[in-house]
Amino acid sequence: MKTIAYRNILRAAPAAIESLGKLGVATVHEAQRRTGLMKPYLRPIQSGAAIAGSAVTALMHPGDNWMIHVAVEMIQPGDVLVVALTSDCTDGLFGDLLATSLKARGARGLIIDGGVRDVSTLNAMGFPVWSRAVHAQGAVKETVGAVNVPVVCAGATVRPGDVIVADDDGVVVVARPQAQDIAQKAAEREALELSKRDKLASGVLGVDMYNMRPALAAKGLVYLDQTVDWYSGADEA
């Protein structure tokens, strides 16, 4: 690993970022062909939080949070800090003091493939965090890592400036060059889902709306109209 920290990164257009954030993780994930989703163990420490922003990345060693302090300097308003580890670690690498510093810089939140602590205070501050664990174990500042380099966080590749979308459903990454295109596709998908929701609310069945009956018949599903009393010893076969 090169021990470097890039001060400047390219970011997606603010309008694309805001659009992706409004559409949410599930819709964005589907719109980009089910790619970019981080592993489900990465969970928000508070319910109802939803953010989107440009990724500033930090690569750290287990038990060491030195690079978060370095990364704070690179944060611009609207950014999301994404922290990856060189190997598995659930230590509490982030707490209320670092959150105070990030918030002062205008960060929208933190995504960390490790542990956090001071959860009650973080929630009171209204600082959104998605983490691998909650753990009171503290960190040291001994080993230099890297800032604003490509990382793998919770199974997803994140390059500096990529768009991070996070909510109660998890975290998804959108490659910066594709942000506008994916925002448009996600908006189209959302409009389609709204029309489907209206049909379902009116009583239309999913098997009819999606024209599933021919496929179900082809797979061998048989509908029977007689009433069966399963307590009478009827043959379930």
Side-chain angles (χ1 to χ4, degrees):
M1 182 204 320
K2 292 183 178 179
T3 53
I4 53 179
Y6 289 98
R7 293 183 183 275
N8 302 304
I9 62 173
L10 297 175
R11 292 169 171 83
I17 295 173
E18 294 305 313
S19 178
L20 290 166
K22 291 177 181 177
L23 293 164
V25 170
T27 299
V28 171
H29 174 238
E30 296 286 351
Q32 61 177 2
R33 298 183 178 182
R34 299 185 179 184
T35 61
L37 198 62
M38 292 190 182
K39 292 182 179 179
Y41 62 66
L42 213 60
R43 300 303 305 154
I45 63 169
Q46 66 277 82
S47 63
I51 62 170
S54 297
V56 168
T57 65
L59 181 60
M60 308 194 308
H61 296 277
D64 194 312
N65 69 355
W66 211 357
M67 289 301 100
I68 294 181
H69 289 270
V70 176
V72 169
E73 181 183 357
M74 318 308 177
I75 292 289
Q76 292 185 11
D79 287 345
V80 175
L81 180 58
V82 178
V83 177
L85 281 296
T86 56
S87 61
D88 288 352
C89 177
T90 58
D91 292 354
L93 303 172
F94 182 90
D96 64 319
L97 295 181
L98 279 167
T100 300
S101 189
L102 279 176
K103 195 170 183 179
R105 299 286 294 182
R108 289 183 173 170
L110 170 76
I111 313 296
I112 182 169
D113 197 358
V116 298
R117 61 183 187 176
D118 305 326
V119 169
S120 178
T121 306
L122 291 174
N123 287 338
M125 291 172 61
F127 189 80
V129 173
W130 283 255
S131 70
R132 182 171 190 158
V134 174
H135 194 184
Q137 176 68 48
V140 299
K141 298 161 185 63
E142 293 288 342
T143 309
V144 176
V147 173
N148 276 334
V149 298
V151 299
V152 176
C153 182
T157 299
V158 184
R159 294 172 178 83
D162 284 349
V163 180
I164 301 297
V165 183
D167 57 28
D168 283 339
D169 288 337
V171 184
V172 69
V173 185
V174 178
R176 177 185 56 79
Q178 300 173 10
Q180 186 61 55
D181 180 55
I182 297 302
Q184 178 61 36
K185 290 178 178 177
E188 292 170 358
R189 181 180 180 85
E190 178 73 3
L192 180 61
E193 289 188 348
L194 286 173
S195 69
K196 290 178 180 179
R197 190 175 297 117
D198 289 341
K199 290 180 181 179
L200 293 170
S202 73
V204 174
L205 295 173
V207 291
D208 293 319
M209 184 174 71
Y210 295 109
N211 193 31
M212 294 177 177
R213 296 189 189 278
L216 289 168
K219 293 288 186 179
L221 179 65
V222 176
Y223 286 89
L224 299 176
D225 291 329
Q226 69 264 32
T227 300
V228 179
D229 181 358
W230 294 107
Y231 289 97
S232 67
D235 184 359
E236 297 186 16

